[in-house]
Amino acid sequence: MELLRNIAQQPANSSNKTCEPNPQRSCEMQRKKTEDHSHAPAEMARIVTDPATGKCYCRGKVLGKGGFAKCYEMTDLSTSKVYAAKIIPHTRVSKPHQREKIDREIELHRVLHHKHIVHFYHHFEDKDNIYILLEYCSRRSLAHILKARKVLMEPEVRYYLRQIVSGLKYLHEQEILHRDLKLGNFFVSESMELKVGDFGLAAKLEPAGDRKKTICGTPNYLSPEVLNKQGHGCESDVWALGCVMYTMLLGRPPFETTNLKETYRCIREARFSLPSTLSSQARQLISSLLAKTPEDRPLLDHILRHDFFTQGFMPERLPASCCHSAPDFHVSSPAKSFFKKAAAALFGGRRDKVKYYDTLNKLTKEEEDIYKLRRDLKKTVITQQQTKQLTEDGRTPSPSAERAVAASTEGLPSTTRDTIRLIVRGSLGSCSSSSECLEDSTTGSVAETVASVLRGCLENMPKVDDIPKGTGCGNLQWVTKWVDYSNKYGFGYQLSDHIVGVLFNNGTHMSLLADKKTVHYYAELGQCSVFYTSDVPEQFVGQVTVLKYFAHYMEENLMDGGDLLSQADTHMPRLYLLQWLKSDRALMMLFNDGTFQVNFYHDHTKIILCTQKEEYMLTYINEERVSSTFRLSSLLSAGCPADLRQRMEYSLNMLLQRCN
């Protein structure tokens, strides 16, 4: 038996005899051997007996070390069940307060029962040690994983954080503070399930006035209020969660410095850096978790509703390979077979509703299936083509439009009249058909033209208190829904006429028309390939699958962003995305025909600048999702209130950031 062969592997200075295949006899032999060699250190005994039950356990390899104890593999010889045994020598807890600490840990931990908390099985002691038998997590801890990996990807961080929050929420509901949340105390099971463990510093939550003011925990993860001896609350665990998230994403704690005094200074000031390599959602969540004032940190219930989780992919499972290497998203043949069946059920033919939702859940959560999509995308990447910039469109306004401009600008300075003529004319230069996969100068020319128009309006527009009277919006196309999956695939969006588009990370673009049957594919400037979902070319199967996935996800999970409507056009889509940019306040989207949309996160207001009948129009969707559309020339003459002007100025700054 492999188990008994392992038992027989004694230290070099011990007997080389093989243990008998009878566990009870092995136990007796070891006890006799211990008596005959009483001079040997007690902690070296391989076989340990519970005096109360008579059960024998075999001590295995060291799993970890702590201040008072070491943790070993421990196997029940009667059942072969493996535990993680925390072994504390009596000599290490000889003082009353030390023993009280161990007793408190046992009393707190033994009553906890949650799938994301390390399970407490049993404890006993003999004349040498105290033994605490815990759930064995064969993948060790997140500290071991990060040591091998250096940094983790955002989907992995979502996966682990979701489980940490679940376990931590349970602890807080039991009025228990962990007080030592760190990577080394998050253990990973054989099935890659995370468990919160090590309750050596845990304590019951006390009323605000009676909270413990002892400074305890790991220095890099201490909160400002703990350092300032203001007491521990649930907010201190939330702070530590922010440190954990930061460390997983960047490979180092947020307040780590060359000396402890400086680290504590940074913690007290909540001073840390957030590199631009992180997504804006990750930066926002970390900033909220590491808020200096405890009351400003989010509640656990709110954390999983943050954009970091809702706007990004979160796998249901991770492959074991993630413990030692970055995911290559390789899936086995059975997973491929499953994915094909799931995709067929989701995207083709008639669907049973229950099976549909079951399949949809798998597609949105199952890690291996999503990884398969990414694998397909890698096979269909098209090399970025170098193309010549198109010549200017050369459109001219109609005579009636010119006369209207002349009448409305009479008496104004010549520079203002020129700006209004540019706004009315709507000349977009080379932007009539361009794509992100083209030379950057093409996209830049679109951005520069729109920025010039918007700047001209803002520089000459008077300040007023009331918003001018709006006009009809016509057949306006704008983005009603969007999903940022750029950490894997690209940026997806739905237009108001129900066309769904995806700007892939490889620079190509696909649109699924409102008929849900026709696909338009843009790989080169001005070149559009058209095919049908019933007959997808082999090289596009992966991308079409992702396109449909985006469409279904937005249809089932997202609500429209306002009240504007437009008629679906089943012919060539007029809009496809050239560029998108996210800041901590807003999302900017720039389209091929110069349509420019900015969505503001905090109040869900939106600005849409586009051309209709050779005239620039600006649509504003307010907090109540009610829209107003204005001729830009009217705004330039009549002005607009401060809140709209501020949004226009911010939009211009985002656009200028793209131009630069």
Side-chain angles (χ1 to χ4, degrees):
M1 293 174 63
E2 183 67 26
L3 170 63
L4 295 177
R5 284 198 298 271
N6 290 337
I7 294 174
Q9 295 173 357
Q10 300 291 332
N13 62 348
S14 65
S15 172
N16 291 323
K17 291 183 179 180
T18 303
C19 291
E20 296 292 331
N22 185 316
Q24 186 62 38
R25 187 175 175 187
S26 298
C27 183
E28 293 171 357
M29 290 177 63
Q30 183 65 31
R31 282 203 300 271
K32 185 176 186 301
K33 178 180 172 184
T34 303
E35 292 170 1
D36 293 341
H37 300 82
S38 56
H39 63 280
E43 63 269 23
M44 295 303 295
R46 297 296 300 274
I47 303 298
V48 177
T49 304
D50 181 349
T53 65
K55 275 194 171 186
C56 292
Y57 300 90
C58 176
R59 179 180 59 82
K61 66 182 180 182
V62 176
L63 299 176
K65 300 178 182 180
F68 287 94
K70 284 185 179 180
C71 192
Y72 295 86
E73 277 188 12
M74 190 81 89
T75 304
D76 184 335
L77 293 180
S78 62
T79 64
S80 298
K81 183 174 177 63
V82 181
Y83 300 92
K86 192 170 185 177
I87 302 179
I88 308 109
H90 284 304
T91 55
R92 302 301 303 274
V93 290
S94 56
K95 297 179 181 178
H97 75 276
Q98 294 171 330
R99 179 63 196 233
E100 287 172 8
K101 177 182 181 298
I102 300 302
D103 291 341
R104 182 174 63 249
E105 177 183 352
I106 291 171
E107 289 306 308
L108 285 175
H109 197 173
R110 69 190 303 175
V111 297
L112 301 178
H113 300 282
H114 190 273
K115 66 178 181 178
H116 295 305
I117 300 291
V118 170
H119 188 67
F120 183 104
Y121 284 101
H122 181 53
H123 82 286
F124 64 92
E125 55 186 287
D126 58 21
K127 63 183 180 65
D128 298 310
N129 303 301
I130 302 168
Y131 304 88
I132 302 174
L133 301 185
L134 304 168
E135 180 179 4
Y136 176 64
C137 295
S138 63
R139 307 290 181 190
R140 305 188 76 177
S141 72
L142 282 187
H144 293 95
I145 293 175
L146 196 71
K147 184 177 180 180
R149 291 283 309 281
K150 309 306 180 188
V151 293
L152 301 183
M153 298 169 63
E154 288 195 8
E156 296 174 277
V157 173
R158 292 186 191 98
Y159 170 83
Y160 291 125
L161 281 180
R162 178 184 62 183
Q163 298 175 73
I164 295 171
V165 169
S166 177
L168 192 57
K169 185 172 183 290
Y170 170 78
L171 286 180
H172 289 179
E173 287 171 350
Q174 309 305 310
E175 297 187 332
I176 293 175
L177 301 177
H178 189 281
R179 304 205 301 170
D180 195 20
L181 294 176
K182 58 182 180 180
L183 296 183
N185 289 339
F186 300 130
F187 302 94
V188 182
S189 71
E190 182 71 18
S191 60
M192 295 297 292
E193 196 170 55
L194 183 138
K195 315 278 182 175
V196 180
D198 195 344
F199 292 88
L201 294 179
K204 294 291 287 186
L205 177 63
E206 303 290 348
D210 300 325
R211 288 181 177 175
K212 298 182 184 300
K213 296 178 172 59
T214 307
I215 298 178
C216 66
T218 303
N220 277 315
Y221 294 77
L222 296 177
S223 65
E225 63 270 21
V226 170
L227 277 180
N228 294 330
K229 298 184 178 182
Q230 295 169 331
H232 294 80
C234 294
E235 303 86 358
S236 297
D237 279 348
V238 171
W239 170 279
L241 197 63
C243 295
V244 166
M245 178 180 175
Y246 186 104
T247 305
M248 285 193 288
L249 288 170
L250 294 169
R252 57 181 174 81
F255 304 102
E256 185 177 64
T257 64
T258 55
N259 65 84
L260 196 58
K261 185 176 181 181
E262 179 61 23
T263 293
Y264 285 169
R265 181 183 293 111
C266 292
I267 290 173
R268 287 190 173 96
E269 298 172 2
R271 174 161 46 89
F272 58 97
S273 61
L274 282 171
S276 58
T277 52
L278 297 179
S279 70
S280 60
Q281 297 99 327
R283 294 197 300 270
Q284 291 163 16
L285 179 55
I286 290 171
S287 295
S288 65
L289 295 172
L290 297 181
K292 182 178 179 180
T293 305
E295 293 76 15
D296 292 340
R297 297 168 205 156
L299 300 174
L300 291 175
D301 281 334
H302 296 162
I303 291 174
L304 296 182
R305 296 200 289 269
H306 190 274
D307 284 352
F308 177 73
F309 290 94
T310 61
Q311 298 286 343
F313 171 65
M314 180 164 53
E316 186 68 19
R317 289 198 302 267
L318 285 178
S321 61
C322 290
C323 292
H324 52 76
S325 59
D328 60 4
F329 309 139
H330 175 73
V331 294
S332 61
S333 296
K336 291 182 180 180
S337 175
F338 165 80
F339 177 77
K340 288 178 181 177
K341 293 178 182 178
L346 180 61
F347 300 137
R350 300 174 63 185
R351 299 183 291 252
D352 175 80
K353 189 172 183 180
V354 175
K355 289 182 179 179
Y356 165 70
Y357 280 109
D358 180 60
T359 304
L360 181 64
N361 287 335
K362 289 178 179 176
L363 286 171
T364 56
K365 295 180 180 178
E366 289 291 338
E367 179 74 342
E368 291 185 351
D369 303 339
I370 299 301
Y371 290 169
K372 200 277 182 180
L373 288 178
R374 190 172 187 265
R375 191 81 172 184
D376 283 347
L377 281 181
K378 287 183 178 179
K379 295 177 182 177
T380 59
V381 167
I382 294 179
T383 305
Q384 183 169 316
Q385 301 293 324
Q386 299 297 320
T387 58
K388 295 181 179 180
Q389 184 174 341
L390 290 180
T391 56
E392 289 195 355
D393 189 10
R395 290 179 296 175
T396 56
S398 63
S400 58
E402 290 281 19
R403 286 194 295 273
V405 172
S408 63
T409 60
E410 187 174 357
L412 294 175
S414 59
T415 54
T416 305
R417 289 200 301 271
D418 292 340
T419 300
I420 294 177
R421 287 194 178 93
L422 175 59
I423 291 171
V424 174
R425 184 169 188 164
S427 175
L428 297 176
S430 62
C431 68
S432 57
S433 59
S434 54
S435 165
E436 182 62 13
C437 70
L438 309 175
E439 292 181 349
D440 190 62
S441 59
T442 305
T443 302
S445 66
V446 181
E448 289 165 5
T449 302
V450 177
S452 175
V453 169
L454 199 53
R455 184 194 294 110
C457 183
L458 286 167
E459 289 176 351
N460 295 280
M461 184 171 59
K463 296 180 180 179
V464 295
D465 295 329
D466 297 325
I467 199 163
K469 184 178 179 180
T471 63
C473 63
N475 189 29
L476 172 65
Q477 283 181 297
W478 65 289
V479 175
T480 59
K481 303 176 182 180
W482 60 272
V483 176
D484 175 8
Y485 251 16
S486 57
N487 60 334
K488 285 189 180 296
Y489 314 125
F491 185 91
Y493 60 93
Q494 178 179 294
L495 294 172
S496 52
D497 56 8
H498 303 293
I499 290 175
V500 173
V502 176
L503 179 58
F504 289 97
N505 289 340
N506 66 4
T508 61
H509 186 285
M510 268 189 183
S511 293
L512 179 65
L513 273 57
D515 62 4
K516 306 302 179 187
K517 300 176 182 178
T518 311
V519 176
H520 288 255
Y521 176 79
Y522 300 88
E524 296 186 30
L525 181 63
Q527 294 186 12
C528 176
S529 301
V530 180
F531 49 84
Y532 298 97
T533 55
S534 58
D535 187 24
V536 180
E538 184 177 355
Q539 69 268 32
F540 297 137
V541 169
Q543 285 176 282
V544 170
T545 303
V546 175
L547 176 64
K548 288 181 175 180
Y549 170 75
F550 271 103
H552 278 275
Y553 178 85
M554 288 187 283
E555 180 180 350
E556 297 295 330
N557 295 281
L558 304 181
M559 62 183 294
D560 285 331
D563 67 341
L564 281 171
L565 298 174
S566 66
Q567 297 298 318
D569 182 3
T570 58
H571 299 90
M572 178 73 73
R574 183 167 62 88
L575 292 188
Y576 56 91
L577 189 64
L578 289 183
Q579 180 76 33
W580 60 278
L581 180 68
K582 292 169 75 175
S583 71
D584 58 354
R585 182 180 171 189
L587 163 71
M588 178 201 86
M589 293 166 284
L590 181 66
F591 290 84
N592 62 299
D593 72 339
T595 295
F596 175 60
Q597 179 171 333
V598 178
N599 292 10
F600 293 89
Y601 306 139
H602 69 290
D603 58 6
H604 304 291
T605 58
K606 300 168 184 68
I607 285 179
I608 306 153
L609 182 66
C610 67
T611 56
Q612 289 184 7
K613 297 180 180 178
E614 300 180 342
E615 183 171 5
Y616 269 100
M617 310 292 287
L618 186 138
T619 297
Y620 175 53
I621 302 177
N622 65 16
E623 297 178 36
E624 284 74 40
R625 302 172 70 229
V626 177
S627 63
S628 302
T629 300
F630 316 94
R631 292 184 177 87
L632 207 58
S633 56
S634 299
L635 287 181
L636 192 148
S637 302
C640 70
D643 59 339
L644 178 54
R645 176 187 283 271
Q646 289 169 0
R647 287 172 175 81
M648 291 171 67
E649 289 172 346
Y650 189 86
S651 301
L652 175 60
N653 288 334
M654 287 193 75
L655 195 55
L656 292 175
Q657 183 179 344
R658 166 59 190 86
C659 295
N660 297 330

